[in-house]
């Protein structure tokens, strides 16, 4: 399948070359040139059109272009957003140098915001945008990887090295303890659901990164409150590429990459293991084998991946801007059998009709993702499996620890290779996002326009998990086999409508908008299981839906282009809450002062921009994992809790019960009140630009799943609005153009964010003995948690015992500090020690261009975050060498340092500083122009991703989102070679 698709793309590419109209190759005259801005910097994406025709090109990354002119074609029209268009007479020139001057009416960059756009200079809220030219380079499979480290206060952590792994995105640290902390994501005007999709690692994988034009992040409440109940965690607006003026241009982008594992869990090698076993457990030393198996190397591989994208963009018949693309990605994981295959297709149409009074943005995005999920249980098994045992026995079967009767020992470490090869977990998912947005400017009143956006987002997925009958790691299915299958259907329907009136009166400018939004989410899941040839069992059907109905408005007022005021209001109604608590009102207000336009700074050349911003707003949170938590309902009992009885024929049957579920009719929104102040600055003709922000956020009515008195409801825990939390932070970004002399360009960007949070309330009544809400489940024992939410401390603080050390600095086994001095070591002697979230985040990126050469690099750092090394705590003791004289297991080499005999899980010894600096990617590229008669431009480049990590953390990777290092899928180092061709 893969080879055929790759051949298809190659054939398509060659066909496109040959089917171009013959006259495009019939050159009369070749002309090239460079387009620069007012500072002498190159302008990419400038439209260069032959006057009176649709023939033209766009400038490349370095502002260069090439054209073939036929007889009579002598005038070029040069145009770019924000700059005054020019007409250039070619004459006898063959190499043009063109400088564009800023257009006073379009000087500022336009930034996408909620329900519209605004000039960057008129922004009053905290909004940051990254465009395609500044995206991260390299082997990018998921959209969020494009902007990792680019914006202060935005933390993006993928779930490991699996292709397309799910990502945790936090804007200013999140706002909730138990509800979702994911930001609202809007794709071309369509707010998408945050919940996961069965058979898919990351719903964002359905968007091809090559199709994305901009990532815009709304951070403070004055910017996000227009989205009301879903905006407490910030908003990410993704805009895809669209057609542009000029003739059709074909682009091909392709790459091949190789990924390699970088680090393994530090366990004993076979010879070392035999020595330790003989010294510590001599009575069972004879159980060791003669093999030397490095189980971790047996489950990992060098993974090869490819990516191909073809797009066509331009204007058809000089009236219909269009962009169409098709993409194919085939990615292997470094864990064997892990694989993702993605096919995408997009179509964007953007015509303007009725003398440009009606603007249409219509788009369709289709994706199909096929996954083969590797059994990640093999990662933990590779660290605990005896390295002296072989992969296969003499009879060719996978090695397994057996009882005396030949049956598998189900509590013994399992063969990691068997776990990968004897379990198949496959899925396929299709997604379609389609929307049509009509923006009509009334003929009789051009200042008034109406905007209608109708959209649908549909996902259909299915999957199958098959355990081989020969698999000894599943005793139940041995000799029979086990198969389970599932399906999922999700739909998201949207209707937005708003009216907007904008008018200037002398030195004042008004922009008033009001609208209505309706959104419906529906999910239908099914599943069933088969054991051998037996009839299906454990079948389920799960259907649920929720609605969101909203009224919203915004008013912008600008006075003398120096004083800007913004007020927004949204009233949301959610079906997740009772009628009495269904509606939430979310206001915001902001002010901005453009000081550069004041008289005292107007003539200060060193200051090119200076704006002060202040904002206040209230946002909400209603994203809990129960759509019906506010009213009483019955749920079907589990199959293993069914009642047994006899039917009328005397046959034994199993009957599932219906049981009432706990509910809370007073459930309502979480609310977050945010205050934000900021300064946007530019110096030395904007050679240095950036912003400085400070914020304070207060979250109240936190949605918690809390304990309740026995007998007061149908469960001992229920969703309730109890608790509050505060967060503070400071963010700084600096972007510089260090060198800009025509041949050499050097840009350098840096950002840093300081953040902290503190829980201020968790219960209705204060109690001196109440420790808090335990969280952060770990491997080892039953129901153990390593983190806690406690008033006066950050969320997800580690809650552990203080280890006691001897005079030589060695930890003493099972000895902890009696912190309260009562002579007893219990939970009241635990203390809060570090937290999982970083206190400071930093990002740095640079780009250097010299003539046709290009270099870029980007890195990130976290400081103040800790990780619990669960692998060392769980296996870092000698008793794990053997169990009851029946089987052996490997141990973490940490045991050689501690000399612990027993498992010590709750010691602060294993909570380790995980601050780090990671160089995410390095890229070197070369632009090749003037190919095939000056009609084809090409770029060849190479990248390395995950170049290195500097850290004191002793585990496999310091960047683990939940702060618990347990069988983590390692992030690989990836080497990639790519090519872009346009004609």
């Amino acid at each position: 399948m893969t080879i055929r698709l790759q051949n298809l793309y190659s054939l398509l590419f060659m066909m496109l070359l040959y089917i171009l109209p013959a006259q495009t190759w019939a050159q009369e005259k070749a002309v090239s040139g460079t387009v620069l801005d007012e500072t002498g910097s190159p302008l990419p994406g400038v439209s260069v059109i032959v006057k009176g025709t649709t023939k033209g090109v766009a400038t490349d990354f370095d502002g260069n272009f090439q054209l073939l002119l036929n007889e009579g074609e002598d005038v070029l029209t040069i145009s770019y957003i924000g700059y005054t268009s020019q007409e250039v007479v070619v004459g006898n020139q063959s190499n043009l140098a063109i400088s564009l001057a800023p257009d006073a009416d379009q000087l500022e960059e336009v930034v996408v915001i909620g329900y519209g756009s605004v000039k960057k200079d008129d922004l009053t809220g905290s909004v940051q945008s990254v465009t395609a030219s500044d995206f991260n380079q390299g082997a990018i499979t998921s959209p969020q990887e494009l902007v990792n480290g680019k914006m202060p206060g935005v933390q993006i952590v993928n779930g490991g090295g699996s292709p397309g792994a799910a990502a945790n995105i936090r804007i200013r640290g999140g706002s909730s303890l138990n509800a979702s902390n994911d930001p609202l994501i809007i794709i071309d005007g369509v707010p998408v659901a945050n919940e996961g999709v069965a058979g898919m690692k990351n719903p964002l994988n359905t968007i091809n990164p090559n199709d994305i034009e901009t990532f815009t992040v709304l951070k403070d409440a004055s910017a996000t409150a227009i989205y009301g109940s879903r905006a407490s965690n910030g908003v990410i607006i993704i805009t895809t590429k669209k057609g542009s003026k000029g003739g059709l241009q074909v682009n091909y982008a392709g790459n091949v990459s190789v990924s390699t594992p970088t680090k393994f869990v530090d366990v004993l090698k076979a010879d070392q293991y035999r020595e330790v076993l003989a010294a510590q457990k001599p009575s069972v030393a004879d159980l060791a084998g003669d093999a030397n198996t490095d189980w971790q190397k047996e489950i990992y591989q060098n993974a090869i991946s490819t990516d191909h994208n073809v797009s066509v963009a331009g204007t058809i018949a000089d009236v219909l801007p269009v962009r169409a693309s098709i993409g194919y990605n085939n990615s292997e994981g470094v864990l064997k059998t892990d694989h993702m295959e993605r096919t995408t297709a997009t179509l964007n149409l953007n015509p303007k009709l009725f003398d440009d009074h009606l603007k249409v943005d219509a788009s369709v995005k289709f994706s199909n993702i096929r996954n083969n999920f590797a059994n990640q249980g093999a990662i933990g098994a590779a660290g605990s499996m005896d390295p002296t045992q072989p992969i296969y026995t003499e009879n060719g079967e996978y090695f397994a620890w057996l009882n005396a009767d030949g049956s598998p020992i189900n509590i013994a470490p399992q063969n990691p290779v068997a776990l990968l090869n004897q379990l198949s977990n496959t899925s396929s998912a299709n997604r379609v996002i389609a929307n049509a947005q009509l923006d009509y400017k009334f003929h009789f009143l051009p200042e008034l326009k109406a905007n209608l956006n109708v959209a649908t987002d549909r996902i259909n997925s299915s999957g199958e998990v098959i355990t081989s009958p020969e698999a000894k790691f599943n005793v139940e299915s041995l000799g029979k086999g086990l198969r389970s299958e599932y399906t999922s259907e999700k739909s998201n329907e949207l209707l937005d409508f708003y009216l907007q009136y904008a008018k200037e009166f002398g030195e004042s400018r008004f922009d008033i908008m009001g609208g209505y939004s309706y959104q419906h989410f529906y999910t239908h899941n099914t599943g069933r299981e088969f054991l051998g040839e037996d009839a299906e069992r454990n079948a389920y059907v799960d259907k649920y839906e929720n609605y969101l109905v909203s009224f919203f408005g915004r008013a912008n007022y600008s006075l003398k282009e120096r004083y800007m005021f913004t007020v927004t209001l949204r009233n949301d109604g959610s079906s997740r809450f009772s009628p009495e608590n269904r509606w939430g009102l979310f206001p915001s207000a902001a002010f901005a002062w453009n000081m550069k336009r004041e008289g005292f700074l107007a003539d200060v050349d060193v200051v090119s921009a200076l704006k002060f911003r202040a904002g206040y707003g209230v946002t909400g949170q209603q994203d809990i994992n129960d759509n019906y938590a506010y009213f009483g309902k019955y749920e079907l009992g589990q199959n293993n809790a069914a009642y047994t009885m006899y039917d009328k024929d005397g046959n034994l049957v199993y009957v599932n019960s219906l049981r009432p579920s706990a509910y809370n009719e007073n459930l309502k929104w979480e609310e977050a009140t945010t205050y934000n102040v900021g300064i946007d600055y530019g110096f030395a003709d904007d050679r240095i630009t950036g912003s400085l922000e400070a914020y304070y956020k207060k979250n109240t009515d936190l949605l918690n799943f809390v304990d309740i008195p026995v007998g007061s409801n149908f469960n001992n825990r229920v969703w309730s609005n109890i608790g509050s939390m505060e967060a503070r932070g400071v963010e700084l970004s600096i972007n510089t153009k260090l060198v800009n002399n025509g041949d050499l360009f050097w840009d350098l960007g840096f950002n840093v964010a300081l953040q902290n949070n503190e829980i201020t309330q968790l219960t209705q009544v204060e109690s001196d003995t109440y420790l808090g809400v335990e969280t952060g489940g770990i491997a080892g024992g039953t129901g153990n948690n390593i983190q806690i939410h406690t008033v006066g401390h950050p969320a997800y603080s580690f809650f552990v015992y203080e280890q006691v050390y001897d005079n030589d600095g060695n930890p003493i086994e099972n000895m902890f500090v009696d912190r309260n001095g009562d002579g007893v070591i219990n939970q009241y002697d635990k203390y809060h020690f570090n937290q999982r979230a970083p206190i400071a985040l930093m990002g740095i990126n640079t780009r250097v261009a010299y003539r046709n050469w290009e270099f870029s690099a980007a890195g990130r750092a976290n400081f103040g975050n800790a990780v619990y090394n669960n692998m060392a705590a769980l296996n870092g003791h000698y008793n794990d060498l053997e169990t009851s004289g029946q089987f052996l297991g490997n141990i973490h080499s940490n045991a050689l340092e501690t000399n612990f005999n027993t498992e010590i899980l709750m010691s602060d010894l294993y909570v380790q500083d995980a601050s780090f600096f990671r160089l995410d990617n390095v890229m070197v590229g070369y632009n090749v122009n003037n190919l095939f008669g000056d009609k084809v431009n090409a770029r060849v480049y190479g990248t390395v991703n995950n170049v290195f990590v500097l850290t004191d953390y002793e585990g496999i990777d310091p960047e683990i989102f939940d702060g618990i290092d347990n069988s983590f899928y390692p992030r690989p180092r990836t080497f990639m070679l790519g090519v872009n061709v346009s004609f």
Side-chain angles (χ1 to χ4, degrees), residues 457-480:
D457 177 8
R458 295 182 178 273
I459 304 174
N460 292 281
S461 62
S462 61
E464 187 177 58
V465 182
I466 300 175
T467 303
S468 168
E470 289 78 31
K472 295 184 175 64
F473 54 79
N474 190 326
V475 176
E476 179 190 28
S477 65
L478 185 60
K480 301 178 181 179

Side-chain angles (χ1 to χ4, degrees), residues 380-399:
S384 60
M385 187 67 182
D386 174 9
T388 69
Q389 305 300 335
I391 301 174
Y392 303 98
T393 62
E394 293 180 355
N395 60 8
E397 296 180 349
Y398 286 108
F399 172 84

Side-chain angles (χ1 to χ4, degrees), residues 779-802:
T782 302
N784 283 319
N785 295 286
I786 201 68
Q787 297 163 344
I788 196 169
H789 300 318
T790 304
V791 172
H793 296 273
Y796 299 99
S797 295
F798 292 99
F799 195 55
V800 290
Y801 293 110
E802 184 179 357

Side-chain angles (χ1 to χ4, degrees), residues 211-419:
D211 291 329
I212 295 176
E213 180 66 31
T214 61
F215 251 88
T216 301
V217 175
L218 315 182
K219 295 196 289 188
D220 73 334
S222 67
T224 62
I226 195 68
Y227 290 107
S229 63
R230 295 175 290 178
S232 286
N233 301 309
V235 178
I236 294 177
I237 300 176
I238 297 175
T239 303
T240 59
K241 297 174 182 177
K242 297 177 173 58
S244 58
K245 292 182 179 180
L248 293 178
Q249 186 173 29
V250 180
N251 289 275
Y252 166 78
N255 64 67
V256 60
S257 62
V258 178
S259 300
T260 63
T262 59
K263 190 175 181 180
F264 301 112
V265 178
D266 190 9
V267 296
L268 303 184
K269 299 294 188 289
D271 291 338
Q272 186 182 26
Y273 179 84
R274 293 185 185 92
E275 294 177 7
V276 173
L277 183 68
Q280 298 294 330
K281 304 288 182 179
S283 62
V284 294
D286 59 327
L287 291 177
D290 299 324
N292 291 277
T293 307
D294 190 328
W295 291 104
Q296 294 185 85
K297 290 186 177 180
E298 294 296 334
I299 66 171
Y300 292 116
Q301 65 180 351
N302 292 329
I304 299 176
S305 304
T306 60
D307 188 85
H308 303 275
N309 294 273
V310 177
S311 67
V312 180
T315 303
I316 297 177
D318 201 26
V319 294
L320 181 60
V322 61
R323 183 181 186 274
S325 71
I326 184 169
Y328 174 74
N329 180 279
N330 190 328
S331 295
E332 291 183 339
V334 292
L335 183 63
K336 291 179 180 178
T337 74
D338 197 21
H339 181 246
M340 182 187 80
E341 196 173 5
R342 176 181 64 203
T343 302
T344 61
T346 65
L347 176 64
N348 284 341
L349 303 175
N350 316 105
K352 292 183 179 180
L353 308 173
F354 307 122
D355 296 327
D356 291 348
H357 277 257
L358 177 61
K359 178 183 177 183
V360 180
D361 287 325
S363 69
V364 178
K365 305 172 189 66
F366 167 79
S367 62
N368 170 258
I369 295 181
R370 296 166 296 282
N371 288 299
N372 192 90
F373 300 104
N375 185 353
Q376 295 191 22
I379 297 175
S384 60
M385 187 67 182
D386 174 9
T388 69
Q389 305 300 335
I391 301 174
Y392 303 98
T393 62
E394 293 180 355
N395 60 8
E397 296 180 349
Y398 286 108
F399 172 84
W401 291 104
L402 305 176
N403 290 303
D405 61 1
S407 62
I409 303 176
N410 57 8
I411 63 171
Q414 302 298 324
N415 188 319
V417 179
L419 288 171

